[in-house]
Amino acid sequence: MKDKIILFEEILFCSDILKNELSTYNVNLSTQLNCTILSSSDFEQSLNSIQIIQGIYQKPSLIKKEQARFLIKIFLLGLIESVHGLHHILHKETADKPIYVRFKKLLNEHYKQHRTVQYYAEKLAITPKKLNSVTKKHCGETAIQAIHNRILMEIKRQLMFSDLSHKEIAFDLGFPSECYPL
């Protein structure tokens, strides 16, 4: 049997599906899906889903695009389920996992207004040093890197999926001007 590769563009990881609807499962999912080996049955099921989605996009209508959106979500949930055992955070319960999950949830809710490690540490009732060690352990980046990456992901998402200008995106994200540093 020949190996096959399913390539995801970065745009998928900025999409509303992963940002909002599947955010609970999106613990470094882009990294996890970067190199995943599926069982034969999972692969066949994935291939079947991809063919159906491709078929919908041959003659897309508003309703068919919505159908494709649901099928993409189902497809991603299937992939998440198949890599679930491989992902050390989703699979393994650790004492600080709830802190990391709460941090990511807070970050997704408040990244536009709050960009300091101190803010999130206070909300979680831990020290900034503890927050950094937890995020480093669970996603390989410091808390400030996670904050910056969340903002960058939103900038990319808005650039790709909205008609907003650079100034409007900067304003939406709480930057007083386009030149404002992260």
Side-chain angles (χ1 to χ4, degrees):
M1 179 180 130
K2 288 185 179 179
D3 292 336
K4 304 240 187 220
I5 295 175
I6 300 171
L7 177 64
F8 295 104
E9 291 186 18
E10 187 177 345
I11 194 168
L12 171 70
F13 300 103
C14 298
S15 71
D16 282 340
I17 292 173
L18 286 179
K19 180 182 168 235
N20 298 321
E21 299 172 36
L22 300 179
S23 63
T24 305
Y25 309 104
N26 191 10
V27 181
N28 284 348
L29 199 54
S30 60
T31 304
Q32 190 61 33
L33 291 179
N34 192 29
C35 184
T36 301
I37 299 171
L38 300 175
S39 68
S40 296
S41 62
D42 286 341
F43 177 74
E44 289 303 319
Q45 189 174 6
S46 296
L47 207 52
N48 191 25
S49 297
I50 291 169
Q51 290 169 345
I52 293 168
I53 294 165
Q54 283 177 327
I56 288 173
Y57 277 103
Q58 296 300 319
K59 293 184 181 179
S61 68
L62 197 55
I63 291 173
K64 284 188 176 188
K65 284 182 181 179
E66 194 61 26
Q67 288 173 337
R69 182 176 157 68
F70 281 106
L71 289 170
I72 290 168
K73 187 174 173 181
I74 291 167
F75 172 70
L76 290 172
L77 282 168
L79 288 179
I80 290 167
E81 180 64 29
S82 63
V83 300
H84 182 75
L86 304 175
H87 197 289
H88 67 284
I89 299 304
L90 294 174
H91 180 64
K92 184 177 170 188
E93 287 299 323
T94 61
D96 55 11
K97 178 183 170 186
I99 295 170
Y100 178 70
V101 171
R102 285 193 349 250
F103 167 64
K104 291 298 275 190
K105 185 174 188 218
L106 280 170
L107 181 58
N108 280 328
E109 292 171 0
H110 302 287
Y111 67 93
K112 288 184 181 182
Q113 301 86 14
H114 302 285
R115 298 189 175 100
T116 66
V117 175
Q118 183 69 37
Y119 171 82
Y120 294 101
E122 285 174 9
K123 288 290 182 188
L124 295 167
I126 60 174
T127 65
K129 185 177 179 177
K130 174 70 174 175
L131 181 56
N132 273 322
S133 92
V134 168
T135 57
K136 191 82 167 167
K137 174 182 175 182
H138 290 290
C139 69
E141 61 188 10
T142 64
I144 197 67
Q145 288 171 324
I147 293 166
H148 288 175
N149 286 336
R150 179 62 186 94
I151 295 164
L152 288 171
M153 185 173 68
E154 182 61 18
I155 292 167
K156 290 177 186 179
R157 190 187 72 77
Q158 287 193 28
L159 285 170
M160 290 182 208
F161 295 113
S162 76
D163 294 328
L164 297 175
S165 70
H166 292 93
K167 282 185 179 184
E168 291 168 320
I169 292 171
F171 180 76
D172 178 56
L173 294 176
F175 294 104
S177 73
E178 293 177 61
C179 300
Y180 187 83
L182 283 175

